[in-house]
Amino acid sequence: MPHWTDAYYGDLYFDSAADLLTPGLSAAEAGVIQGLLRVRPGARVLDLACGHGRHAWPLAGEGFRVVGLERSEPYLRRAAAGRAGGKGEPRWVRGDVRALPLRPGSFDGAFSWYSSLFMFDDDVNARCLAELGRTVRPGGRIVVQHANPLALAKSPVDSS
């Protein structure tokens, strides 16, 4: 089902943000994510709405078993092409945050970084959180970082 985020998180967003999202920043944020999740190398980690994989790669490079889930096929292609070196490579899965194609309890931790959740109405947002919670084992942790969705909705949209 189409949603305003399909246009927002396209080439216009990527092209305007790519220079700011440096490998150093991505690695630093991945370190913060690791600390907040309280996971150690070898842990199974879900990068929900992974975009072009900028956090998945450094986490996999540190020895985490990372699955990057993304709705956008072009972003998944960018993610798969973005090698960072290190101990491992993320697994890429195409899926929608509203109905995750993942087994219950599959992950030791999961995170959503940069405004990937809470883009829908309250009922759908609650279902997204329930879906995310379903994928994490009992005792696992979830980290959600998010900007104001009303402000994002007023941002430029690629009309091409």
Side-chain angles (χ1 to χ4, degrees):
M1 169 183 284
H3 190 260
W4 69 264
T5 57
D6 294 333
Y8 182 85
Y9 291 111
D11 288 337
L12 177 63
Y13 174 83
F14 183 81
D15 292 342
S16 66
D19 289 346
L20 304 172
L21 306 176
T22 65
L25 175 64
S26 299
E29 289 175 346
V32 169
I33 291 164
Q34 175 186 348
L36 292 170
L37 288 175
R38 297 184 190 162
V39 290
R40 298 189 190 283
R44 298 162 303 169
V45 176
L46 172 62
D47 182 351
L48 185 69
C50 67
H52 58 282
R54 70 186 200 87
H55 297 115
W57 278 109
L59 287 167
E62 291 296 320
F64 293 92
R65 294 181 291 159
V66 181
V67 171
L69 182 130
E70 175 58 47
R71 180 176 163 164
S72 164
E73 186 68 35
Y75 272 29
L76 275 179
R77 282 194 300 272
R78 280 189 173 130
R83 288 204 155 293
K87 298 177 186 174
E89 183 170 325
R91 183 173 150 235
W92 308 107
V93 175
R94 187 161 186 214
D96 192 306
V97 299
R98 295 171 284 187
L100 299 176
L102 304 166
R103 286 181 276 225
S106 300
F107 299 97
D108 299 306
F111 68 95
S112 173
W113 205 259
Y114 280 167
S115 305
S116 302
L117 289 176
F118 310 119
M119 300 292 189
F120 310 102
D121 63 41
D122 289 346
D123 290 337
V124 175
N125 289 336
R127 286 197 311 269
C128 290
L129 282 176
E131 275 290 286
L132 181 57
R134 177 185 64 76
T135 69
V136 176
R137 67 167 172 76
R141 295 177 62 96
I142 295 172
V143 171
V144 175
Q145 184 276 340
H146 190 61
N148 183 324
L150 297 178
L152 293 174
K154 295 178 182 176
S155 296
V157 174
D158 186 356
S159 60
S160 58

